[in-house]
């Protein structure tokens, strides 16, 4: 493996290593960004994100079919990009909704999710005329109807159903995913009852059903099976209640490669397969094919960003294990506070030195953070060039999704700055936290 390469399917589309060995993103050297904004630093390639939005929109038949799942990464600037690209926007909490509205996103293109929506959230949806509320449970259905009645409005809704498909197993076991908190069961008939209740609620308008089979899914089969099952409920609703639901929301979850050896998912092909399966199933069931929506998060924003760290302590540790007597520990100035994913999911990342070429012999290494916890590991076991040293900029690719959003303040960590780059220009998106931000919460 050539450690100086930047695997194109994992790194932002506009990143390259220049002749002097320095990595640039959209023409901006990461060395300059580290100098100006400090490390750790998240760097977002704006054109990468926008181009992925366009690819996804093209694959599914237009931007109105694609809802960016903003939980993956939301700031006002990202919301503005999503708006400019014509996509719709999913929020999954009250405060995500508030950020989106603060950025001026049109509520008519927003969908609100959540399995435990507080009254203030439901009221905000109704008051701002958010296009869809995805109902999670029967109690929420009744509550939203009341809130909409009080406001003198009819709120369009979808119902989240559990299709009973666990897309992470090979056989897509029918019952495996009943035992989780989201949605209403299809198998028990509860989803049909909820649809009936929604149709009978004067201040709700049922427009469709929603399902989500999981995250980091690479295989179209799970999505197809879920679509088929949910469509069988469209049929039942049509037959027994005389209503043809117009929309079908298949959720997000398209997997992306994090490591060089992983392959990218062909989204265009997946979309084609999925849309064809919906058409075919609808035809077989003799119902109108619904308008299909998807809610990708990671596959739009994951590969758009990298995280730049500075290397501090370098330590060769005697492991006491015969098979690996010495392991090199490379400590960086972030860790589990800005990327919990390795600790939480054993996630792996492509890691390169960004400030120069490296030519050291591969050494058994572990990349760790500065936190007081031995599980604070970013790369568990990897051969990394032996010349990596204090002051180098170790850079992780594919850090756009579920990293900053899951960041913590453990050990007084300050959330890093986030900068976006485009055409040789850098623009600060979120400033780095300061210790005053920590102290600002103190009451005395
Ligand atoms: N729609 C719904 C209803 C979802 O629950 C999710 C993700 C998405 C869309 C977007 O999924 P995506 O396309 O980004 O895979 N923290 C985890 C991921 C949790 C995903 C939760 N729901 C991680 O870091 O991998």
């Amino acid at each position: 493996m050539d450690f100086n390469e930047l695997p194109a399917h994992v790194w932002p589309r506009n990143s390259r290593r220049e002749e002097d060995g320095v990595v640039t993103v959209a023409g901006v050297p990461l060395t300059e960004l580290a100098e100006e904004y400090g490390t750790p630093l998240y760097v977002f390639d704006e054109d990468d994100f926008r181009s992925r939005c366009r690819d996804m929109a093209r694959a599914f038949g237009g931007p109105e079919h694609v809802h960016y799942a903003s939980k993956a990464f939301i700031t006002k600037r990202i919301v503005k990009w999503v708006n400019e690209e014509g996509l719709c926007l999913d929020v999954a909490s009250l405060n995500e909704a508030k950020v989106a509205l603060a950025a001026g996103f049109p509520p008519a293109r927003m969908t609100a999710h959540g399995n435990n929506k507080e009254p203030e959230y439901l009221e905000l949806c109704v008051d701002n005329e958010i296009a869809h509320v995805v109902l999670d449970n029967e109690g929420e259905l009744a509550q939203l109807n009341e809130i909409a009645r009080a406001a003198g409005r009819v709120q369009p809704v979808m119902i989240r159903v559990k299709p009973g498909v666990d897309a992470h197993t090979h056989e897509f076991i029918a019952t495996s995913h009943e035992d989780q908190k989201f949605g209403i069961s299809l198998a028990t008939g509860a989803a049909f009852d909820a649809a009936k209740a929604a149709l009978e609620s004067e201040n709700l308008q049922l427009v469709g059903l929603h399902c989500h089979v999981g995250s980091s899914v690479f295989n179209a089969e799970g999505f197809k099976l879920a679509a088929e099952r949910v469509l069988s409920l469209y049929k039942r609703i049509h037959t027994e209640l005389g209503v043809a639901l117009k929309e079908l929301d298949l959720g997000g979850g398209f997997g992306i490669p994090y490591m060089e050896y992983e392959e990218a998912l062909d989204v265009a092909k997946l979309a084609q397969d999925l849309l064809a399966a919906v058409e075919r199933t609808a035809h077989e069931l003799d119902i109108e094919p619904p308008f299909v929506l998807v809610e990708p998060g990671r596959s739009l924003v994951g590969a758009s960003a990298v995280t730049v760290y500075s290397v501090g302590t370098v330590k060769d540790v005697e492991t006491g294990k015969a098979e690996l007597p010495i392991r090199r520990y490379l400590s960086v100035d972030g860790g589990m506070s800005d990327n919990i994913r390795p600790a939480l999911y054993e996630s792996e990342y492509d890691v390169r030195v960004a400030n120069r070429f490296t030519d050291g012999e591969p050494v058994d290494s572990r990349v760790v953070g500065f936190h007081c916890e031995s599980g604070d590991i970013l790369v568990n076991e990897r051969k990394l060039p032996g010349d990596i040293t204090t002051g180098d900029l170790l850079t992780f690719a594919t850090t756009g999704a579920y990293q900053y959003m899951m960041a913590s303040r453990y050990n007084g960590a300050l959330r890093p700055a986030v900068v976006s780059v485009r055409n040789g220009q850098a623009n600060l998106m979120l400033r780095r936290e300061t210790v005053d931000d920590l102290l600002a919460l103190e009451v005395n």
Side-chain angles (χ1 to χ4, degrees), residues 129 205 259-260 271 408:
E129 306 194 9
Q205 182 205 355
M259 296 293 283
E260 188 169 8
S408 77

Side-chain angles (χ1 to χ4, degrees), residues 371-433:
H371 296 283
C372 286
E373 187 153 328
S374 44
D376 173 28
I377 293 172
L378 293 176
V379 176
N380 190 32
E381 265 184 331
R382 187 95 46 92
K383 293 233 187 257
L384 293 177
D387 60 339
I388 299 179
T389 185
T390 306
D392 275 334
L393 297 179
L394 203 57
T395 301
F396 283 53
T398 334
T399 59
Y402 305 110
Q403 289 212 180
Y404 190 94
M405 294 297 125
M406 294 171 80
S408 77
R409 285 175 160 182
Y410 185 35
N411 296 131
L414 303 172
R415 270 176 283 231
V418 182
V419 68
S420 67
V421 289
R422 184 184 209 186
N423 291 336
Q425 298 285 324
N427 247 308
L428 190 60
M429 178 161 13
L430 297 175
R431 68 161 171 80
R432 181 177 309 282
E433 286 182 344

